[in-house]
Every structure is written in structure tokens, then in C-alpha cells.
């Protein structure tokens, strides 16, 4: 589904831009343009002067929603990821604390399973500490 966001104050790498359109497909920005492009079938979202910013990439996070990635359970991962997705995070790197090698391997395997899911926001794994 293609979405066209209009009437927003858009943050771009060059700074803030007004009076432009942002096209989003499958959760990713595919075009920002000041041309008034009409796209048949695109869903129109009127930002009504609000700020439009890209989603955040959380590169260091130990958990969320009361759960920790070191718990090494699918439920803990899903709860923590969902908590971050509610507030604008679009990609996440679960962070594993210094721990035993078996615990790290188990949590790394869970991370790999999430990375393999279609559309998963889990991009990679962040290992914290010295090993």
C-alpha cells in the first residue's frame, strides 16, 4: 500500500521542508517531493501542519515493556519490540548485556530468528561489554 502524506512540516537530511509530499510504501519512505504528484490508488494522509519525521532506529536497547532481551524468550522479545514500535521506532538492535556464553548464544539465536521474519524491525544484534 502506498501512502501519500501531505500538509506536513517534513524533516529531511537538508532540514525542515514545508509544502511537500512524502510517499511511504511498506513502512519505508520512498520519495519526498515538492511536486504535486497524483498517484492512483495511494492512500492520502493529511498531516494538518504536524511534524513528519522518519522513524527512529534504536541501536542500543536492553528491552522494553517490562521485559529484557536477556530473558531469551520469544515472548520477552515480542513484548520489548512492540513497546518500542508504539513510539516511532522503526528498527531495533536488541542489546545483550555481558553475561555467560551460553546465555549470549541463546539470546543471539533468538535474535537471528526474529531477523529472519518477514518485515521484522530487528536489524542486527548489539553485544555490550567485553568478551
Amino acid at each position: 500500500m502506498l501512502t501519500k502524506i501531505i500538509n506536513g512540516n517534513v524533516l529531511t537530511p537538508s532540514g525542515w521542508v514545508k509544502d511537500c509530499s512524502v510517499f511511504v510504501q511498506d513502512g519505508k519512505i520512498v520519495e519526498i517531493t515538492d511536486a504535486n504528484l497524483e498517484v492512483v490508488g495511494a492512500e492520502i494522509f493529511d498531516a494538518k501542519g504536524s511534524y513528519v519525521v522518519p522513524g527512529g532506529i534504536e541501536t542500543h536497547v536492553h528491552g522494553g515493556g517490562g521485559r529484557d532481551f536477556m530473558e531469551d524468550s520469544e515472548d520477552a522479545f515480542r513484548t520489548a519490540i512492540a513497546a518500542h514500535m508504539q513510539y516511532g521506532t522503526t528498527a531495533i538492535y536488541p542489546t545483550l548485556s555481558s553475561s555467560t556464553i551460553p546465555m549470549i548464544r541463546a539470546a543471539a539465536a533468538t535474535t537471528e530468528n526474529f531477523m529472519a521474519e518477514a518485515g521484522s524491525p530487528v536489524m542486527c544484534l548489539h553485544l555490550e561489554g567485553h568478551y
Side-chain angles (χ1 to χ4, degrees):
M1 167 62 92
L2 183 66
T3 301
K4 179 182 178 183
I5 302 171
I6 60 172
N7 298 325
N9 296 303
V10 180
L11 180 61
T12 71
S14 301
W16 292 98
V17 179
K18 291 179 88 168
D19 301 322
C20 66
S21 298
V22 179
F23 290 91
V24 179
Q25 184 156 15
D26 300 325
K28 298 198 181 334
I29 297 170
V30 293
E31 181 76 30
I32 299 173
T33 180
D34 58 0
N36 189 14
L37 300 174
E38 295 301 322
V39 178
V40 175
E43 177 184 355
I44 306 296
F45 179 84
D46 189 344
K48 299 179 182 175
S50 296
Y51 295 108
V52 178
V53 297
I57 299 175
E58 185 59 77
T59 60
H60 184 132
V61 60
H62 291 274
R67 304 301 297 269
D68 190 299
F69 291 118
M70 287 304 295
E71 290 178 51
D72 183 39
S73 74
E74 184 176 313
D75 183 58
F77 269 67
R78 290 204 189 283
T79 299
I81 292 166
H84 287 275
M85 297 299 113
Q86 290 179 332
Y87 300 104
T89 299
T90 57
I92 194 166
Y93 298 18
T95 300
L96 303 183
S97 302
S98 296
S99 188
T100 66
I101 296 298
M103 284 182 73
I104 291 169
R105 284 188 176 139
T110 302
T111 301
E112 287 179 326
N113 291 339
F114 274 82
M115 289 172 61
E117 288 183 2
S120 174
V122 178
M123 304 303 293
C124 70
L125 177 65
H126 175 213
L127 294 175
E128 179 181 80
H130 69 281
Y131 296 99

